[in-house]
Amino acid sequence: PLTGGKVYKCLAIFTIELINMMNKENITVLVIGLDNLKFAFPVKMVDSIIMAQEVTPGDNTKSFICGIINLRGEIIPVISLRRRFSLPDRDILSENFFTILAFKHLKIAIIADMIFVVDSVKKGSIRTYKEIIPGMSELEFYSDSEGIYYIYNTENLLSQAEEEEVRKMIVEDVK
């Protein structure tokens, strides 16, 4: 697991992205860990990775929306995949990470126990299932000798109603 070395992460992402630009058969993902589960997010959606910080609880938040953080003057909602997928909940610890994802003109922070690797995955090795885990309308995954990796397309991370609630949280906090 990575616990630092942002320069190496950037170099790894750049190198893999360069290779993938020449090879359209691969997708580059960032792999994060929650307990024994590994989730992969397309690198093109990863804005940054930061150490966990204090989360300000929001009013009337959905159970998987923990609250918000202020990241360099930008209000970012914090999402718990544990809560989202009905996994045992844990407090956010200082050794956790926030993976900042950017999509649909929004940024959200995903809580991670660990940051594993930036990986290049052959598109042909990705499998898709419908409605397998509560909260996911579609599940994509791939596997290797180290286990199964669940790929989450952040375009479908929030339903339209959830996305509107997140946007409302940001607007209310700015006021």
Side-chain angles (χ1 to χ4, degrees), residues 22-61:
M22 294 181 275
N23 182 358
K24 300 289 184 190
E25 296 178 9
N26 290 350
I27 182 173
T28 306
V29 295
L30 172 71
V31 179
I32 68 169
L34 291 175
D35 290 331
N36 295 327
L37 295 175
K38 295 177 184 171
F39 291 88
F41 294 93
V43 167
K44 66 183 179 182
M45 297 174 182
V46 177
D47 179 77
S48 59
I49 300 167
I50 62 170
M51 295 303 297
Q53 61 187 36
E54 187 174 341
V55 175
T56 302
D59 293 336
N60 196 23
T61 59

Side-chain angles (χ1 to χ4, degrees), residues 87-100:
L87 300 171
D89 201 14
R90 286 193 192 160
D91 290 336
I92 299 171
L93 305 173
S94 60
E95 53 268 4
N96 291 133
F97 295 89
F98 289 158
T99 303
I100 311 299

Side-chain angles (χ1 to χ4, degrees), residues 2-19:
L2 297 177
T3 57
K6 293 178 184 175
V7 172
Y8 295 114
K9 176 194 167 281
C10 291
L11 287 173
I13 291 171
F14 177 76
T15 303
I16 292 173
E17 280 297 327
L18 198 58
I19 291 167

Side-chain angles (χ1 to χ4, degrees), residues 51-137:
M51 295 303 297
Q53 61 187 36
E54 187 174 341
V55 175
T56 302
D59 293 336
N60 196 23
T61 59
K62 297 251 183 228
S63 62
F64 64 91
I65 303 172
C66 300
I68 56 173
I69 59 171
N70 183 327
L71 182 62
R72 297 180 288 275
E74 189 173 8
I75 304 303
I76 311 276
V78 178
I79 306 291
S80 169
L81 292 181
R82 290 179 188 284
R83 293 179 187 176
R84 178 76 169 161
F85 304 127
S86 303
L87 300 171
D89 201 14
R90 286 193 192 160
D91 290 336
I92 299 171
L93 305 173
S94 60
E95 53 268 4
N96 291 133
F97 295 89
F98 289 158
T99 303
I100 311 299
L101 303 176
F103 66 103
K104 295 183 181 180
H105 305 291
L106 275 178
K107 286 186 182 177
I108 60 170
I110 301 289
I111 304 165
D113 294 340
M114 291 176 276
I115 305 296
F116 283 103
V117 295
V118 174
D119 199 4
S120 182
V121 181
K122 289 183 186 275
K123 288 181 180 177
S125 68
I126 297 172
R127 303 290 177 244
T128 303
Y129 287 98
K130 305 282 185 192
E131 298 183 36
I132 238 164
I133 295 176
M136 289 182 100
S137 58

